[in-house]
């Protein structure tokens, strides 16, 4: 067995090591996290992450939700989220 020393560079990772795609920047600018978007869409956070990074094609419904979120006021967002939660049916209910 070989032990390898992997020293952390001084100062950690610089900003250059962290890349944000246009869609990640838009989410951040709109105050919407990937976790929140995943919850709104009813998909896993990993799915949203891969879409935002460009690993997967971005479906139209994701684009529509992000654009709508950008256009809404904070009050409109709160109302929309509340309505979405009310209208979602728990699993097993008709």
């Amino acid at each position: 067995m070989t032990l390898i020393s992997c020293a952390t560079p001084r100062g950690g990772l610089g900003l250059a090591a962290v890349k944000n795609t246009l869609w990640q920047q838009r989410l951040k600018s709109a105050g919407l996290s990937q976790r929140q978007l995943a919850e709104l869409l009813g998909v896993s956070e990993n799915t949203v992450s891969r879409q935002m990074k460009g690993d997967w094609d971005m479906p139209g419904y994701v684009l529509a939700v992000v654009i709508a979120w950008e256009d809404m006021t904070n009050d409109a967002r709160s109302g929309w989220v509340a309505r979405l939660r009310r209208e979602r049916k728990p699993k097993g209910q008709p």
Side-chain angles (χ1 to χ4, degrees):
M1 177 185 210
T2 304
L3 297 177
I4 300 172
S5 174
C6 297
T8 303
R10 288 186 182 176
L13 295 175
L15 289 177
V18 179
K19 294 182 181 180
N20 285 322
T21 67
L22 172 63
W23 285 103
Q24 289 169 324
Q25 292 170 12
R26 285 178 70 170
L27 284 185
K28 186 174 182 177
S29 177
L32 184 62
S33 71
Q34 290 184 12
R35 176 175 287 158
Q36 291 169 311
L37 181 59
E39 182 182 329
L40 293 172
L41 297 173
V43 299
S44 75
E45 192 175 344
N46 187 44
T47 295
V48 169
S49 176
R50 296 192 73 180
Q51 290 167 338
M52 293 295 122
K53 289 189 296 187
D55 293 347
W56 293 349
D57 289 337
M58 182 118 34
Y61 73 93
V62 176
L63 298 175
V65 168
V66 172
I67 291 168
W69 190 268
E70 289 173 325
D71 288 346
M72 284 188 255
T73 64
N74 285 334
D75 287 342
R77 290 172 182 171
S78 296
W80 185 72
V81 169
R83 182 176 179 191
L84 179 62
R85 288 181 177 149
R86 280 193 312 271
E87 293 196 23
R88 277 203 174 129
K89 296 178 185 172
K91 290 183 180 180
Q93 289 191 355

